[in-house]
Amino acid sequence: MFTGIVTDIGRITALEGEGDLSVTIATTYDMAKAQIGASIACAGVCLTVVDKGKGWFKADVSAETLKVTNLGDWQVGSEINLERSLKVGDELGGHIVTGHVDCVGEIVRFDEVGGSVVMDIAVPRSLGNFVAQKGSVAIDGASLTVNAVEDSGEGTCFSINLIPHTQAVTSFRNSKSSDRVNVEFDILARYVSRLQDKG
């Protein structure tokens, strides 16, 4: 479990393999305190530490994960949002995030307005019921608040405001229109939708 509060920006330093992928990520985390087998959310995807050293860790990414996330877009030098798993007693500053991506969305607008950035993200219409105005959504692992939602025959588009602090401490400082992003909807929205389907 995670909270969607990004605590480091990692950098991809190596990508190895075909099909399944072995990824090495540079980090400021004290990896001496992280155990092999620990979970770290990498751009919103829960990955397992399989090797580590001072200032880096390695994780394996399956072909299936590459197919349903944007991890296949990673290149050496890519910056990604990182979050260590939640411990009992930790502050829940964002919302409950599982690290299981629901879909890959596309940034269709990334415009500076004042000091903030308005980011619009398009997702399949079939998932539009999971998005609500003023609700929470995790984008590339960051817990964000939805400002507005618009449905159309082509899909669902929702808008997010990135304040300067969020831009500075996340990988969104490098984002642009047309980028693909990992989207995880609020787990409560999933259960509410499921209950409505049953009703």
Side-chain angles (χ1 to χ4, degrees), residues 1-4 43-45 68 94-106 120-133 135-146 148-151 155-160 181-194:
M1 284 291 184
F2 307 92
T3 68
V45 180
V68 299
H95 70 285
I96 295 174
V97 176
T98 65
H100 301 155
V101 171
D102 290 300
C103 72
V104 176
E106 181 184 354
D120 291 353
I121 297 172
V123 297
R125 179 66 185 89
S126 60
L127 300 173
N129 287 343
F130 294 141
V131 190
Q133 187 177 15
S136 296
V137 64
I139 305 298
D140 279 349
S143 176
L144 299 168
T145 300
V146 176
V149 186
E150 184 175 342
D151 295 318
T156 294
C157 186
F158 58 92
S159 184
I160 288 168
V181 292
N182 294 321
V183 179
E184 180 184 332
F185 301 110
D186 187 352
I187 192 169
L188 295 178
R190 296 186 209 176
Y191 284 115
V192 169
S193 179
R194 178 64 173 160

Side-chain angles (χ1 to χ4, degrees), residues 1-5 39-42 44-47 82-86 92 94-100 141 184:
M1 284 291 184
F2 307 92
T3 68
I5 301 300
S39 296
I40 297 180
C42 302
V45 180
C46 180
L47 297 180
L82 299 180
E83 182 187 355
R84 297 285 308 275
S85 58
L86 184 65
L92 187 62
H95 70 285
I96 295 174
V97 176
T98 65
H100 301 155
E184 180 184 332

Side-chain angles (χ1 to χ4, degrees), residues 19-58:
D20 290 356
L21 197 63
S22 176
V23 183
T24 304
I25 302 170
T27 178
T28 62
Y29 290 150
D30 182 0
M31 294 307 298
K33 296 181 179 178
Q35 297 186 5
I36 299 296
S39 296
I40 297 180
C42 302
V45 180
C46 180
L47 297 180
T48 301
V49 175
V50 298
D51 196 7
K52 62 174 184 147
K54 185 176 182 181
W56 64 273
F57 67 94
K58 187 175 285 190

